[in-house]
Amino acid sequence: QVQLVESGGGLVQAGGSLRLSCAASGLTFSTYAMGWFRQAPGKEREFVAVITWSGNTDYADSVKGRFTILRDNAKNTVHLQMNSLKVEDTAVYYCAADPLVVLNPLYVDYWGQGTQVTISS
C-alpha cells in the first residue's frame, strides 16, 4: 500500500521560508517521479513542482526562482524548499507520486493527505 505523508506546513509571514517534506512508502521510490501540487480555497488543484527519478526538475512559472524540489532516494523522501513566500502561496500542499512526469493532477497515481501552508501579509 502506497503512503505519502507530508509535513512541514505552517503559518509564516510574507517573505519567509518553509520546507515541506514527504515521506513515501510502499513503492519503489527511486523509479517514481515525485511532485508537489497545491489547492487554494475555491480553486482547482494546480501543479507546483516535479522531480524525476534522475533528478530533473520542472516548476510552475509562479514559483520559479523561489521554490526548490529535492529528493533523497536513500530515505524515500522529497522536499519542497519554499523561499520568498507570498500571500498567494497560501494553499494546502499535496505530495504526489507517479511513474511518469505528470503535471495534470487528474492523472496522478498517488496523493498524500496534504499540509496547510498559510502566508500572512
Side-chain angles (χ1 to χ4, degrees):
Q1 181 181 357
V2 175
Q3 283 193 315
L4 304 175
V5 179
E6 300 101 333
S7 60
L11 170 65
V12 296
Q13 286 189 324
S17 298
L18 276 176
R19 183 179 175 92
L20 305 183
S21 297
C22 172
S25 60
L27 73 167
T28 306
F29 183 80
S30 61
T31 66
Y32 274 69
M34 299 297 297
W36 290 93
F37 291 72
R38 67 187 181 186
Q39 188 165 15
K43 294 188 176 181
E44 295 185 348
R45 193 169 297 189
E46 65 176 5
F47 165 75
V48 174
V50 66
I51 186 167
T52 68
W53 64 271
S54 61
N56 294 320
T57 59
D58 195 10
Y59 298 91
D61 288 343
S62 59
V63 307
K64 279 182 182 175
R66 301 188 298 121
F67 291 11
T68 303
I69 188 169
L70 307 157
R71 69 186 295 158
D72 185 339
N73 287 340
K75 296 183 178 180
N76 286 11
T77 56
V78 61
H79 306 282
L80 185 68
Q81 178 65 44
M82 305 186 294
N83 299 327
S84 302
L85 284 162
K86 304 176 181 180
V87 171
E88 50 264 42
D89 293 320
T90 295
V92 177
Y93 283 70
Y94 295 91
C95 179
D98 198 279
L100 303 175
V101 175
V102 175
L103 306 187
N104 186 329
L106 292 177
Y107 303 114
V108 169
D109 276 0
Y110 302 108
W111 292 102
Q113 82 286 355
T115 185
Q116 177 70 47
V117 171
T118 304
I119 313 303
S120 62
S121 59

